[in-house]
Amino acid sequence: MCGISGIIQREGSVQRRSIAHMNRRLAHRGRDDEGMWIEGRVGLGHRRLSIMDLSDAGHQPMESDRCVIVYNGEVFNFRQIRERLVSEGMHFHSDSDTEVVLRAYEQYGMDSLKMFNGMFAFALYDKQARKLFLVRDRYGIKPLYLYRSHSQLCFASELKAIVGLDGVSVHLNKEAITAYLQFHYIPHPQTPYEEIVKLTPGSYCEIDTDTLVCDVVRYDTPSYEPVENRLTLQEAADRTETLLQDAVSLRMIADVEVGSFLSGGVDSGVITAMAAAHTGKPLQTFSVGYRDADLFDESAFAMRIARRYGTKHHRLVADFDAVYDRLEEIIVSMDEPNADTSVFLNFFLAEETKRHVSVALSGLGGDELFGGYNRHRAFVWGKYLSYLPKGLAGSLISRGRSDRTSRWGNRMRQLGRLLHSLDRDPAASYLKMISYQQLITPEIPVRRYRIEEVLKYDLTYYMSDNLLALSDRMSMAHTLEMRVPFLDYRMVSHAFALASKYKTSLWQSKIVLKKVAEKYMDHDMIYRRKQGFAAPIEQWLRREGQERISSLTDISFLSRFLPEACIRDDMYRFYVLGQDRALQIYSYLVLSLWYRLHKEYLDD
């Protein structure tokens, strides 16, 4: 895994010190090697984490007579593509997948993108055509940011390589910050800065290096319509298992050791079980546990899976003091404001994992493909419950305490959120389910109460801009590569083609995936209540106390987006009345710290 960057000047030559600056800001993404390529008005930079072909032959930028490329990621089926290219007369000088991507473009042009099964973001400069292509994988596993002004165009794997660069001027994107307060992440193509965008997953940007004119083209437009309605549950499970086994097998390919995150849930449990069959020695697995927070701790289940498959298991105990001490470091590593409470868990888990391996498999994607979240079942229920009398919601909610620190309180919280979300318009219902503030009304493409519509939305935004973004930044902060077998494009196509009844029903979630898991995990582990990979943020905020949290919260800045009374009311309801406002308060804290650490780059 790597960090890539580049500059195109409208006039004059790219300065070597500018590319060097971008490389320094991306050093954490690749500590094994660095390189620069500059030719007049075009300059490319690269930081390398060596995973495939550890020799100098894999050095980047990689140049041929026609093209030069800087590449971040992995194309897992590169060997099959290479064999095809060799049969067609292509010659290779390395064993890297980078060269396969380069040669595939030279042979097939941008049609080659449809051949790639992997996770990647790359920039390829065609010297003959005088065009630069910026490319991002189908689901946004790897990041790519783009800045354009009248005089120059810059791109990089992370925002920090662009802001602060000579000639770059950025302003706060108020619409994006408003979206953050509503969703706790920023949906693409927006970023915290008005002048910088995220390249849309599954697309490429074709740039004329003479005029800086950009054309964005979607190369992947998947179907999300169920078509395999005649399969039995067992047939659907067999097909799912076969595809997942092949996806895991491909992602075990590396010239360094591969480990696996193991939370104890179905997704990571099945991935770990399959991965263990591909190693000649015990697979190294990694999990996070907590002190005095049983509701959030799955480490006991992780240990059961580790014992069953003979893995060498590493359990990290989360330390809230360490979180507080390193919160600023984590926020700087994240680049964008993000209030998902798994951010700092991923940070510490990646730090521990990197001490032992350089690549780790993740179970991300299972919930988005097969309907694993409580809100997915709530959406299915919503079709029927939306006809309840409006006053019933309030009377039911008022009967019990709503919080996150007990199973009963958490259930009341979830019930309350569901009942408050009821609307006969499915898009309005889902927007209420996923919103923490009612600030904006974005266009959500949910037209019917069909589970595929919300799964598509979650895969497109929640997965790409939240879970994958935070996982990439937190793993790469420690130069660790993370791989996600569930996001093999064949698995995604298969999951959406399955009948709805095999995903989520009124009473069960991830139906077909749990059927697969029965072969690999104990029944009580598969069909227990979902816990999820989240931190006990409510306990942490209460332990720190209102005075300390308030001192870190910049109400003056926040009031540019929210009424000050709303912010103070959330503090009062949480700390005085004991109500469930922990995530809102945490989002204020994160945004305040992000602004303090990044405002030097703003020209506001």
Side-chain angles (χ1 to χ4, degrees):
M1 205 54 56
C2 307
I4 66 172
S5 60
I7 301 172
I8 307 173
Q9 297 284 148
R10 184 179 293 275
E11 297 178 354
S13 298
V14 172
Q15 298 299 305
R16 185 176 182 86
R17 60 183 172 80
S18 296
I19 301 298
H21 169 85
M22 299 178 90
N23 272 352
R24 283 195 301 272
R25 300 300 296 272
L26 296 173
H28 54 282
R29 297 187 69 92
R31 302 188 187 279
D32 295 327
D33 191 18
E34 72 170 313
M36 288 184 279
W37 181 92
I38 298 173
E39 187 175 275
R41 295 183 297 103
V42 180
L44 304 176
H46 190 264
R47 294 292 313 207
R48 183 185 182 195
L49 169 61
S50 301
I51 300 296
M52 303 282 197
D53 188 350
L54 308 185
S55 73
D56 291 341
H59 175 79
Q60 296 185 49
M62 184 176 288
E63 186 176 8
S64 68
D65 292 339
R66 176 180 170 186
C67 299
V68 58
I69 187 173
V70 284
Y71 168 78
N72 169 30
E74 312 286 357
V75 169
F76 298 111
N77 62 334
F78 77 99
R79 289 175 178 164
Q80 294 93 321
I81 299 172
R82 178 184 169 125
E83 289 176 3
R84 175 176 169 178
L85 290 168
V86 168
S87 71
E88 295 172 355
M90 278 283 182
H91 298 284
F92 288 83
H93 305 287
S94 75
D95 294 321
S96 70
D97 57 329
T98 305
E99 188 176 7
V100 171
V101 172
L102 178 65
R103 299 297 183 184
Y105 167 78
E106 292 179 335
Q107 187 78 343
Y108 310 116
M110 299 311 288
D111 287 341
S112 60
L113 298 177
K114 296 181 179 180
M115 303 168 64
F116 300 157
N117 183 352
M119 52 181 195
F120 48 82
F122 63 86
L124 186 148
Y125 178 48
D126 188 322
K127 293 180 284 187
Q128 294 178 4
R130 298 180 66 81
K131 292 183 183 293
L132 179 75
F133 296 93
L134 301 178
V135 184
R136 198 172 180 202
D137 65 61
R138 290 173 172 87
Y139 311 115
I141 303 173
K142 293 289 101 185
L144 194 56
Y145 293 92
L146 176 64
Y147 167 91
R148 186 173 61 159
S149 68
H150 174 74
S151 60
Q152 67 177 339
L153 181 148
C154 309
F155 68 87
S157 298
E158 296 184 17
L159 288 169
K160 61 174 62 68
I162 298 175
V163 296
L165 193 64
D166 287 346
V168 169
S169 173
V170 293
H171 298 80
L172 193 68
N173 185 338
K174 295 181 179 179
E175 184 179 346
I177 298 301
T178 299
Y180 159 81
L181 288 168
Q182 183 154 348
F183 302 116
H184 290 180
Y185 64 92
I186 298 176
H188 71 267
Q190 296 194 86
T191 75
Y193 308 106
E194 285 185 355
E195 295 80 4
I196 304 178
V197 296
K198 304 167 191 168
L199 185 61
T200 299
S203 71
Y204 68 85
C205 183
E206 180 178 331
I207 303 163
D208 185 312
T209 58
D210 293 322
T211 64
L212 302 192
V213 171
C214 303
D215 291 319
V216 177
V217 179
R218 288 296 302 264
Y219 68 84
D220 182 70
T221 53
S223 170
Y224 295 98
E225 291 295 322
V227 293
E228 296 181 356
N229 294 315
R230 297 184 178 181
L231 295 178
T232 66
L233 176 58
Q234 188 59 57
E235 289 171 336
D238 290 344
R239 176 65 175 156
T240 301
E241 182 184 15
T242 298
L243 284 170
L244 190 56
Q245 283 179 332
D246 192 56
V248 171
S249 176
L250 279 175
R251 284 155 184 81
M252 294 297 291
I253 297 172
D255 294 326
V256 295
E257 186 174 0
V258 179
S260 182
F261 295 147
L262 179 57
S263 69
V266 168
D267 304 341
S268 66
V270 172
I271 293 293
T272 294
M274 291 179 174
H278 291 280
T279 58
K281 59 181 180 180
L283 179 73
Q284 298 208 53
T285 53
F286 306 87
S287 67
V288 173
Y290 309 97
R291 294 187 182 92
D292 305 319
D294 292 342
L295 179 63
F296 297 87
D297 194 336
E298 295 185 287
S299 55
F301 298 105
M303 283 301 302
R304 284 173 59 180
I305 297 171
R307 285 194 294 268
R308 177 168 175 171
Y309 293 99
T311 75
K312 184 177 180 181
H313 191 63
H314 308 267
R315 177 178 179 264
L316 177 68
V317 178
D319 183 342
F320 287 131
D321 289 328
V323 171
Y324 186 81
D325 292 341
R326 301 181 70 181
L327 192 55
E328 290 188 0
E329 178 186 354
I330 293 168
I331 289 172
V332 169
S333 296
M334 188 61 226
D335 240 5
E336 299 189 41
N338 184 298
D340 192 303
T341 60
S342 69
V343 167
F344 55 80
L345 296 180
N346 276 274
F347 180 86
F348 290 110
L349 181 60
E351 184 174 53
E352 172 63 23
T353 303
K354 178 60 180 180
R355 294 188 178 106
H356 305 276
V357 298
S358 292
V359 179
L361 304 185
S362 167
L364 281 179
D367 288 317
E368 287 71 22
L369 298 185
F370 298 101
Y373 295 123
N374 290 322
R375 64 176 181 268
H376 295 151
R377 269 190 20 211
F379 183 78
V380 175
W381 274 97
K383 178 179 181 179
Y384 306 98
L385 297 179
S386 62
Y387 294 94
L388 287 174
K390 294 291 184 182
L392 182 59
S395 64
L396 287 174
I397 296 166
S398 64
R399 295 179 182 275
R401 174 183 165 86
S402 171
D403 61 42
R404 299 170 183 271
T405 59
S406 68
R407 294 196 184 279
W408 171 251
N410 205 34
R411 287 297 173 191
M412 289 302 298
R413 179 187 66 82
Q414 293 166 347
L415 174 62
R417 187 154 187 166
L418 168 60
L419 294 177
H420 275 310
S421 301
L422 296 179
D423 196 297
R424 297 188 182 183
D425 174 10
S429 283
Y430 200 62
L431 177 61
K432 292 175 185 177
M433 289 180 193
I434 63 177
S435 298
Y436 297 92
Q437 305 277 358
Q438 300 302 315
L439 300 173
I440 58 176
T441 307
E443 178 66 21
I444 293 186
V446 178
R447 304 287 174 255
R448 296 165 288 173
Y449 272 103
R450 280 182 61 247
I451 190 62
E452 285 78 18
E453 297 202 22
V454 299
L455 294 182
K456 176 185 176 182
Y457 180 85
D458 277 359
L459 182 67
T460 302
Y461 293 102
Y462 179 73
M463 170 59 68
S464 173
D465 300 312
N466 181 35
L467 298 183
L468 289 173
L470 71 88
S471 297
D472 172 83
R473 298 321 177 276
M474 297 301 98
S475 59
M476 293 309 299
H478 304 290
T479 325
L480 174 75
E481 176 176 306
M482 185 196 72
R483 298 177 175 180
V484 278
F486 277 111
L487 295 188
D488 185 301
Y489 76 93
R490 300 166 301 168
M491 174 60 72
V492 174
S493 297
H494 163 71
F496 277 96
L498 288 177
S500 302
K501 64 183 179 180
Y502 295 149
K503 297 164 191 169
T504 293
S505 68
L506 291 173
W507 308 107
Q508 186 61 269
S509 62
K510 293 197 290 196
I511 295 167
V512 69
L513 191 55
K514 290 179 178 178
K515 184 69 175 176
V516 172
E518 289 176 0
K519 183 182 292 188
Y520 300 94
M521 298 169 62
D522 296 334
H523 187 275
D524 67 307
M525 296 178 66
I526 299 169
Y527 293 99
R528 62 187 173 88
R529 291 177 177 175
K530 181 178 177 63
Q531 288 176 246
F533 189 62
I537 196 66
E538 179 168 349
Q539 290 158 277
W540 181 69
L541 290 174
R542 292 196 186 282
R543 198 193 81 161
E544 295 302 323
Q546 183 175 3
E547 183 176 350
R548 174 176 279 187
I549 297 301
S550 295
S551 70
L552 296 172
T553 303
D554 188 341
I555 293 182
S556 175
F557 171 67
L558 295 172
S559 62
R560 293 164 62 177
F561 314 98
L562 279 174
E564 182 176 335
C566 173
I567 302 165
R568 295 192 183 280
D569 182 61
D570 282 338
M571 290 282 191
Y572 177 80
R573 289 166 61 188
F574 178 72
Y575 281 109
V576 178
L577 301 182
Q579 295 180 1
D580 178 42
R581 305 301 291 173
L583 294 182
Q584 286 80 356
I585 292 171
Y586 181 64
S587 73
Y588 302 154
L589 173 63
V590 168
L591 183 57
S592 296
L593 291 173
W594 178 88
Y595 178 66
R596 178 163 64 83
L597 294 166
H598 293 83
K599 63 182 179 181
E600 65 179 291
Y601 302 116
L602 294 165
D603 291 326
D604 291 344

